[in-house]
Amino acid sequence: MEKKPEPRWERRKEARPHELIAAALDLFVEKGFTATRLEDVAARAGVSKGTLYLYFDNKEALFKAVVQEGIVPVIEEGEALLQHYEGPAAELLRLVVHRWWETVGASQLAGVIKLMFSEAQNFPEVAQFHYDQVVLRGKRIFAFVVELGIRQGEFRELPVDHCVRLLLAPLLMLAIWRYSLGVCESEPVDAESYLETYLDLAVGGLAARSGA
Amino acid sequence: MEKKPEPRWERRKEARPHELIAAALDLFVEKGFTATRLEDVAARAGVSKGTLYLYFDNKEALFKAVVQEGIVPVIEEGEALLQHYEGPAAELLRLVVHRWWETVGASQLAGVIKLMFSEAQNFPEVAQFHYDQVVLRGKRIFAFVVELGIRQGEFRELPVDHCVRLLLAPLLMLAIWRYSLGVCESEPVDAESYLETYLDLAVGGLAARSGA
Amino acid sequence: MEKKPEPRWERRKEARPHELIAAALDLFVEKGFTATRLEDVAARAGVSKGTLYLYFDNKEALFKAVVQEGIVPVIEEGEALLQHYEGPAAELLRLVVHRWWETVGASQLAGVIKLMFSEAQNFPEVAQFHYDQVVLRGKRIFAFVVELGIRQGEFRELPVDHCVRLLLAPLLMLAIWRYSLGVCESEPVDAESYLETYLDLAVGGLAARSGA
Amino acid sequence: MEKKPEPRWERRKEARPHELIAAALDLFVEKGFTATRLEDVAARAGVSKGTLYLYFDNKEALFKAVVQEGIVPVIEEGEALLQHYEGPAAELLRLVVHRWWETVGASQLAGVIKLMFSEAQNFPEVAQFHYDQVVLRGKRIFAFVVELGIRQGEFRELPVDHCVRLLLAPLLMLAIWRYSLGVCESEPVDAESYLETYLDLAVGGLAARSGA
DNA sequence: AATGAATGAGGCTTCATTCAT
DNA sequence: AATGAATGAAGCCTCATTCAT
């Protein structure tokens, strides 16, 4: 019969930062940066207020860490898809979109995107970082697809930059929606079928008319 | 020895609330609700902090007023377009989109939309109000167009709700973008040509294939 | 029968800063800068915490104000004494010392001096300011007296800077003592007789020996 | 396969407290008690924060230890000087002053004195202890000298307590100065010549006038 | 004996709100 | 109607202290 006095805390030096970042992301996305209390972040990560400061200098540093953490390898995967691809651009688009959904849209990165949309003007440098690392590279991937389609005669010759934005918009919306006005809807959008219709419309819209 | 009556303010009185709302909208959109100081709102409206409380009970009431103000007649105009319309759905879509741009996208309502995206989770009731008054009605307008097109055989039979979301996404993005990650880009998107490409793609995507 | 509802506060825009500075001086002198809580300063000045920030940017600004306030005209009076003086240096010394006691030693400036002795290393720029405005000018006054005495043959030719420091030391000690180790003594030093003995010793020490 | 016993720390153990006290003294003198962080004390002593608590119950205990450590044998030496002394009081004064400089003024005890001047009001009991052990005994030594001089007809009959304070003031100032406003001066006071002038003035001031 | 991760009370500072003028 | 001085709750952050390792 021994007492296990239930230690008040345990050491988690490596795990802590990630746990804190995850907690912070949740709350930043939900409430915004300013409206999020560090005490709540700490509580959600299961630590006390002070512990947070062992790993991050201040609230802004935590914010930056959240944004940086949310990027790491994702985009590279997308870029890898393009290497060596051969086949119709429409098919590549399908591949890219599904990959996007799996790695970004359905992941925590969606939260980071929502967060950046809300806070870009409050943190211009962080926004620029996110823009360069995520938005720009994402745009390049879609530009590659559009240009491939045009080159191969599948797609019409349309202004590429606009097409890219038009292709991205429904995806970004899907990602952001559930953290914002999506809360007003009783059930979430079904991503699966939404993306099917998206691809259908997009390919139809881009396609070179056979009869024309 | 008489004091000049100093007609310094004469007018005002019922202009005040609107000026305060306009100032608040600017700052709420830029910084978010929590990060906006009422003192700054008052200063931007050219009054003192205390004056604000003559017109609004508190910060949240001001927020609600901002959201409500941004709605009033806009949607009705859109709905009016649909009445008595006869002609191709594609043409109606073009009408609606240009009207949307003029009354919403290019107006201060765009800011309200950005604001609601950011703050929806912090103000569920306000979000619901905005959703009902703006989003739902906006969706209905676009649903009307899509259904008209289907009915008239111009458009394919696609899931209407998804089509509506897909049609709205590029418009909402256009509205939101300049208040968020658009700050990272040296020059703003050219709405005119963006919308042209949008209509081109959308109609192309929706269109019933002649050959099919 | 009317109720006078005992107003929660009244406006004191001009008086406030001085009251706050006086309160801060008391506490800074007693406890030191860091150990003094702004809430206590505010309470002693009869206001709330927030009011302090209407007049001072932060704790350090309050500290600087305390030091600056404690200087204003005092030294100038001392310097004025020297103008047009004619007579024995010993007599001038007596004048200066009594003046010093009245304007500095017995006033709140004594507290500022104690404060600077404690905090000089924490606030080098403020210390430098105090040094330039108070210490240096004080030293110059005493140097004037010593040099006058030497010039007139009353005093021996001793190193002036050392004499000045030696003359100042008992005065500064008197000023500081009551805010520091003086608290360990049941009754305060009697400044009057202390200064008499001081002058007696000082003049005796400086005097050119008649017989020598 | 054996682990090398790694004799990294071997000694220490009873050296630790002294190192910690020395580190604490430095920082307490420089920044004051409240503004000194125990983590910095530990770092300066080359140990970790936790180690400090193996030797001292808390911050205040460390403070007390600093004050006590700074006293031990010093005063006794001074008192020993007086035993069996025969000769002129002026000469004894010179002896005492030089001894004081060597054992107190030039040593770390000077820092303790500065510290007590700053913190006396925050730690009345510690101040009382210091007062009893250092100030009072120091005063007694100087009182002995003055009284000896009077008894032997070398010195005038002046109020002894005042004389003692006046004799101590330049010495205490010398000790304190370099930790406070001395930082504003480009070069430190030359103690050697300062004390020569001090003795010169003091003896001259105390001396019974031959001609009188 | 030593470490340093973890804690949480407490201080500085901000700002929504009130109210005397 | 308008002002802005005053308030005080609340959030960020520090640091003395504890304790698992």
Side-chain angles (χ1 to χ4, degrees):
Chain A
M1 188 97 78
E2 52 178 349
K3 53 177 178 222
K4 189 80 149 303
E6 190 63 39
R8 293 199 312 174
W9 39 262
E10 53 179 328
R11 306 197 152 197
R12 311 279 314 286
K13 193 169 197 302
E14 283 81 50
R16 288 279 187 251
H18 298 291
E19 295 166 352
L20 287 163
I21 285 172
L25 174 55
D26 284 354
L27 290 169
F28 284 162
V29 169
E30 181 186 335
K31 299 174 183 300
F33 175 79
T34 311
T36 295
R37 299 163 15 135
L38 289 188
E39 188 152 15
D40 291 340
V41 173
R44 178 177 285 234
V47 300
S48 75
K49 232 179 336 170
T51 300
L52 219 156
Y53 286 87
L54 297 176
Y55 300 100
F56 303 97
D57 281 349
N58 51 42
K59 198 180 183 183
E60 187 164 343
L62 178 61
F63 179 78
K64 288 178 182 167
V66 164
V67 174
Q68 273 160 17
E69 173 109 324
I71 287 175
V72 205
V74 168
I75 299 293
E76 268 135 29
E77 286 190 48
E79 291 165 342
L81 273 182
L82 312 182
Q83 312 287 347
H84 318 304
Y85 176 84
E86 291 186 26
E91 192 52 37
L92 180 56
L93 180 62
R94 171 177 304 272
L95 277 176
V96 165
V97 165
H98 279 120
R99 198 102 201 86
W100 178 90
W101 174 247
E102 285 156 18
T103 56
V104 177
S107 82
Q108 75 202 47
L109 239 181
V112 176
I113 291 171
K114 149 67 160 75
L115 181 55
M116 284 314 315
F117 267 91
S118 297
E119 303 289 348
Q121 300 205 69
N122 285 329
F123 299 97
E125 336 76 52
V126 184
Q128 190 67 50
F129 173 79
H130 175 85
Y131 182 80
D132 294 340
Q133 297 302 312
V134 176
V135 178
L136 263 193
R137 292 169 75 181
K139 284 181 71 177
R140 267 189 228 112
I141 291 172
F142 281 83
F144 181 94
V145 176
V146 171
E147 283 161 350
L148 178 69
I150 294 174
R151 216 180 316 124
Q152 295 184 166
E154 293 173 72
F155 296 162
R156 292 182 284 152
E157 291 205 17
L158 292 164
V160 175
D161 185 64
H162 286 158
C163 288
V164 167
R165 289 175 191 273
L166 291 164
L167 288 172
L168 279 172
L171 300 178
L172 296 175
M173 264 301 158
L174 180 60
I176 289 174
W177 189 256
R178 72 163 165 280
Y179 301 115
S180 53
L181 286 164
V183 299
C184 300
E185 297 178 324
S186 50
E187 48 186 314
V189 178
D190 176 53
E192 208 67 26
S193 60
Y194 175 84
L195 291 176
E196 277 316 305
T197 310
Y198 163 76
L199 285 167
D200 193 346
L201 268 184
V203 171
L206 290 163
R209 296 291 172 275
S210 45
Chain B
M1 185 105 74
E2 52 177 349
K3 287 210 296 251
K4 194 95 69 51
E6 282 289 349
R8 284 190 327 224
W9 24 255
E10 24 200 357
R11 34 128 226 167
R12 286 307 97 114
K13 208 151 274 184
E14 87 287 356
R16 276 285 147 75
H18 298 292
E19 295 167 351
L20 284 163
I21 285 171
L25 174 56
D26 284 353
L27 290 170
F28 285 162
V29 169
E30 181 184 336
K31 301 175 183 299
F33 175 79
T34 312
T36 295
R37 301 163 18 136
L38 288 188
E39 185 151 20
D40 291 340
V41 173
R44 178 177 286 233
V47 300
S48 77
K49 230 182 331 174
T51 302
L52 217 156
Y53 283 85
L54 296 175
Y55 299 101
F56 304 96
D57 282 349
N58 51 40
K59 197 180 184 184
E60 188 163 343
L62 177 60
F63 179 78
K64 288 177 183 167
V66 164
V67 174
Q68 274 158 17
E69 171 109 332
I71 287 172
V72 207
V74 170
I75 299 291
E76 269 133 29
E77 285 191 50
E79 290 164 342
L81 273 182
L82 311 182
Q83 311 289 345
H84 317 303
Y85 175 83
E86 291 185 25
E91 194 50 38
L92 180 57
L93 180 62
R94 171 176 305 270
L95 278 176
V96 166
V97 164
H98 279 121
R99 199 99 201 89
W100 178 89
W101 173 246
E102 286 156 17
T103 56
V104 178
S107 82
Q108 73 204 48
L109 238 181
V112 176
I113 291 171
K114 148 68 159 76
L115 181 55
M116 282 314 314
F117 267 91
S118 296
E119 303 288 349
Q121 302 206 66
N122 285 329
F123 300 96
E125 337 75 54
V126 184
Q128 190 68 51
F129 174 79
H130 176 85
Y131 182 80
D132 294 340
Q133 296 304 311
V134 177
V135 178
L136 264 193
R137 292 169 75 181
K139 283 180 74 176
R140 268 191 226 108
I141 292 171
F142 280 82
F144 181 95
V145 175
V146 171
E147 282 160 351
L148 178 69
I150 292 174
R151 215 180 316 124
Q152 297 184 165
E154 294 172 74
F155 296 163
R156 292 183 282 152
E157 291 207 18
L158 292 165
V160 175
D161 184 64
H162 286 159
C163 287
V164 167
R165 290 174 190 273
L166 291 164
L167 287 172
L168 278 172
L171 301 179
L172 296 176
M173 263 301 156
L174 180 59
I176 289 174
W177 188 256
R178 73 163 165 278
Y179 301 115
S180 53
L181 286 165
V183 298
C184 300
E185 295 178 324
S186 50
E187 48 186 314
V189 179
D190 176 52
E192 207 69 25
S193 60
Y194 175 85
L195 290 177
E196 276 317 304
T197 309
Y198 163 76
L199 285 167
D200 193 346
L201 268 184
V203 170
L206 289 164
R209 298 288 174 274
S210 48
Chain C
M1 185 97 80
E2 52 179 348
K3 51 174 178 224
K4 190 79 149 302
E6 189 64 36
R8 293 200 310 175
W9 40 262
E10 53 179 329
R11 307 196 151 197
R12 311 279 313 288
K13 193 170 197 303
E14 283 81 49
R16 288 280 187 251
H18 298 292
E19 296 167 351
L20 286 164
I21 285 172
L25 174 55
D26 285 353
L27 289 170
F28 284 163
V29 169
E30 181 186 333
K31 299 174 184 301
F33 175 79
T34 311
T36 295
R37 300 165 14 139
L38 288 188
E39 187 153 17
D40 291 340
V41 172
R44 177 177 285 233
V47 300
S48 75
K49 235 178 332 170
T51 300
L52 220 156
Y53 285 86
L54 297 176
Y55 300 100
F56 303 97
D57 282 348
N58 51 41
K59 198 179 183 184
E60 187 163 344
L62 177 60
F63 179 79
K64 287 178 182 167
V66 163
V67 174
Q68 273 160 17
E69 173 110 328
I71 287 174
V72 207
V74 169
I75 299 292
E76 267 134 30
E77 285 190 48
E79 291 164 341
L81 274 183
L82 312 182
Q83 312 287 346
H84 317 304
Y85 177 82
E86 290 186 25
E91 192 51 37
L92 181 56
L93 180 62
R94 170 177 304 273
L95 277 176
V96 164
V97 165
H98 278 119
R99 198 101 201 86
W100 178 89
W101 174 246
E102 285 156 18
T103 56
V104 178
S107 82
Q108 74 204 48
L109 238 180
V112 176
I113 291 171
K114 149 67 159 76
L115 181 54
M116 283 314 316
F117 267 90
S118 296
E119 303 289 349
Q121 301 205 67
N122 285 329
F123 299 98
E125 336 76 53
V126 184
Q128 189 68 49
F129 174 78
H130 175 84
Y131 182 80
D132 294 341
Q133 297 303 311
V134 176
V135 177
L136 264 193
R137 292 169 76 181
K139 284 181 72 177
R140 269 191 225 109
I141 292 172
F142 280 83
F144 181 94
V145 176
V146 171
E147 283 161 349
L148 178 69
I150 293 175
R151 216 180 315 126
Q152 296 185 166
E154 293 172 72
F155 296 163
R156 293 183 282 152
E157 292 205 16
L158 291 165
V160 175
D161 185 64
H162 287 159
C163 288
V164 167
R165 290 174 190 274
L166 291 164
L167 287 171
L168 278 172
L171 300 178
L172 295 176
M173 263 301 155
L174 179 60
I176 289 174
W177 189 255
R178 72 163 166 279
Y179 301 116
S180 52
L181 286 164
V183 298
C184 299
E185 296 178 325
S186 49
E187 48 186 314
V189 178
D190 176 54
E192 208 68 26
S193 60
Y194 174 85
L195 290 176
E196 276 317 304
T197 310
Y198 162 77
L199 285 166
D200 193 345
L201 268 184
V203 170
L206 289 163
R209 298 290 174 274
S210 47
Chain D
M1 188 97 79
E2 53 176 349
K3 287 211 295 249
K4 194 95 67 53
E6 281 290 349
R8 284 189 328 221
W9 24 257
E10 22 200 357
R11 36 126 224 171
R12 288 307 97 115
K13 207 151 274 184
E14 89 286 356
R16 277 283 148 73
H18 298 291
E19 295 166 350
L20 285 163
I21 285 172
L25 174 56
D26 284 354
L27 290 170
F28 284 162
V29 169
E30 181 185 335
K31 300 175 185 300
F33 175 79
T34 311
T36 295
R37 300 162 20 136
L38 288 189
E39 185 152 21
D40 291 341
V41 172
R44 178 177 285 234
V47 300
S48 76
K49 230 182 331 174
T51 302
L52 218 156
Y53 283 84
L54 297 175
Y55 299 101
F56 303 97
D57 281 350
N58 51 40
K59 197 179 183 184
E60 189 163 341
L62 177 60
F63 179 78
K64 288 178 183 168
V66 164
V67 174
Q68 273 160 16
E69 173 109 331
I71 287 174
V72 208
V74 169
I75 299 292
E76 268 134 29
E77 286 191 47
E79 290 165 341
L81 272 182
L82 311 182
Q83 312 289 343
H84 317 304
Y85 176 83
E86 291 186 23
E91 192 52 37
L92 180 57
L93 180 62
R94 170 177 305 272
L95 277 176
V96 165
V97 164
H98 278 120
R99 198 100 200 88
W100 177 90
W101 172 246
E102 286 156 18
T103 55
V104 178
S107 82
Q108 73 203 47
L109 238 182
V112 176
I113 291 171
K114 149 68 159 76
L115 181 55
M116 284 315 314
F117 267 92
S118 296
E119 303 289 348
Q121 301 206 68
N122 285 329
F123 300 97
E125 336 75 52
V126 184
Q128 191 66 52
F129 173 79
H130 175 85
Y131 182 81
D132 294 341
Q133 297 303 310
V134 177
V135 178
L136 264 192
R137 293 168 76 180
K139 284 181 71 176
R140 269 190 225 110
I141 292 172
F142 281 82
F144 181 94
V145 176
V146 171
E147 282 161 351
L148 177 69
I150 293 175
R151 216 180 315 125
Q152 294 184 169
E154 293 173 72
F155 296 163
R156 293 184 283 153
E157 291 205 18
L158 292 164
V160 175
D161 185 64
H162 286 159
C163 287
V164 167
R165 290 174 191 273
L166 291 164
L167 288 172
L168 278 172
L171 300 179
L172 295 175
M173 263 301 159
L174 179 60
I176 289 175
W177 189 255
R178 73 162 165 278
Y179 301 116
S180 53
L181 286 164
V183 299
C184 300
E185 296 178 325
S186 50
E187 47 185 314
V189 178
D190 176 53
E192 208 67 27
S193 60
Y194 174 84
L195 290 177
E196 276 317 305
T197 310
Y198 163 75
L199 285 166
D200 193 345
L201 268 184
V203 171
L206 289 163
R209 298 291 174 274
S210 46

